Amino acid sequence: MVEPVEHPRRRLIYAIEGSRPTVDDQVIFALTQLRPLMDDVIVIAPRSVEAVDRARLRDVSDAVFAPVASAFRASDYGVALSAREAVVGGADEVILSGDSWFGPVNDFRPVLERMADSSWDAWQLVENSHRHQPESFPGEGFPAIEAPWVWTVLRDGALRSGALATFWETLDGDDVDAEHRLLPSLAESGLSTTYAFHAAEFRTGDPLVFGAVALMHAGCPVVARSQFRLFPPLLDQHAVVGRETVAAMAKLGYSSDLVWQSLARTVPPKALNVNAGLFNVIPDRPRPGTDDATSLRLLVILHVSDGAGLDVVFRAMENLPAGYDLLVTAPDGMTAATIQRRFEEREDLAFGSLEVRVVPPGPGRDMSDFFVGCRDVLLSGDHDIVVKLHHRPAPRKTLNLNRYSRRYQLENLLNSPGYVRNVLQMFAREPGLGLVFPPMVHIGFGTMGRAWAGLESAAARLRDTLGIRVPVDAVSPLAPYGGMWIGRPQALRIMTEHRWRHADYRRGKRERELAHVQERTVVSAAAEAGFHSRTILTSEHASISHTALQFKTDQVSMSVRGYPVDQIRFLHLAGATGFGGPVALMRMYLRLNHFGLARRLLPLYYFARRGHRVVGALRQLRPGRSPRRKESA
């Protein structure tokens, strides 16, 4: 051990993880709070960071280094440490940290002062007695990520030791557990190490992930981002509720907006919706509060294919606050004139202005009307909130299914005047809230587990075109299925700034492909701009949905043992069941027990399945038989 220094000279080396061109506001906030406690601050930022954000980093640091790799590597700390030594000389303490945490949620000073009185050669903020990150799920889209370290302090004894130099040399470029292995490695060489918060005090081996709220109550100044980025069923197994964590952070004065902006850009939207609890059951009675939702400038864009049955939309629009601007799109002049007359006759609709536009009909329907026909209004900056509605025929749906789906969309957006006011207050309270819409409909539809609907490749091309780097949900995207939502025009700007044409909606291999892809990409587009999304239901629809979903999940889980996380991994390893039968069951058996053989036989299986589909299609075309139609959201 070394003698404690009364006023140690502290150097912070702060790393930024990814290759994104933007820097989250939570990074600037953290560095601003830490700088008074440090003698110098060095930031490791990827070369891809734009000049404006690099200037922001320079304002809160003494130097900004660019690593060789495009994303963070643990070895970057060693390189930055050596480079800084050559410039300004030594320090009594070097702190290795980065943007892998939110905070400070508590004052850092008491922790630093407490640890400054000790004589340890190295210490970390929170112990991970497992010495590794939580379980990785690469097949489900949640691989282990080499993230910047939370808080590791190296003093003179450790900095001058050969053990530290040897540790840097052993790093191989993909060391997700390097931070957890450092202190045990130094201890084995005879150096003294400790932790500010020991795992045993929180009854878990990894308190940063599985004991965040207890850590905050104990005075820990940081909350790990990893809690919100893990595979949701894993957190479910350990009863980790991200919503409780964010609420505890807010009580300590940390802005939730900093959390949502960062996570929206770095976590698959559906996973974030689950991990952070971004689902709300909205009451019909207005909530008390000081937020004034009436000051929001409201635009309603309604697509109408024909005027039949329009009364159901009128009833929903009666719940909107007075004074909104109404823009209606119609496919032809006759329909437009009829709609104009019907709206002007309604005295119970409190719109402030009315415009009816004729937009050429096409396969894009309400989506092309919205992004092409109303582009100028969305980009004008004249409105704070846009409500996107549509009224279009659904010939493929049964009468009962059509009735329920219309109820599901309209009631969960515009159920009552109080309900609408509560939704608008969410936007008033959360500047980073981009979109709200009902969760994926599952009653009467087979969307669960296959909501990409074969559009993954088309969606990937669209993300590349628009420059969207937000991680993708592997199974089903978080999306406003059905095409209705309430949102900020600013959150839609990445999608609306692109100059779409009506012809673009006719170029896909399948009719309306671009419209469906936009529907499944709009949340990611908002997230790329730093806006998060929430899903909402009325209390009635929450009751209907939850009980049905719980029963279906119970039935599906019956034949597979273990926690849901174990069941999901097993089923994913086995692969799709298809329509059952001996061939599919044999393929699943081979995948589970002889994966190498299964990979070699897979092309033959797909060839046989394709042939089976061709034969089935030919049978459907026989005289006297009508082709089956699938209903989708």
Side-chain angles (χ1 to χ4, degrees), residues 77-88:
Y77 285 128
V79 175
L81 181 61
S82 300
R84 192 61 180 173
E85 284 284 341
V87 176
V88 298

Side-chain angles (χ1 to χ4, degrees), residues 242-261:
R243 187 173 182 143
E244 294 178 351
T245 303
V246 177
M249 295 167 68
K251 285 183 178 179
L252 292 172
Y254 190 81
S255 172
S256 301
D257 294 329
L258 298 176
V259 177
W260 303 139
Q261 182 201 59

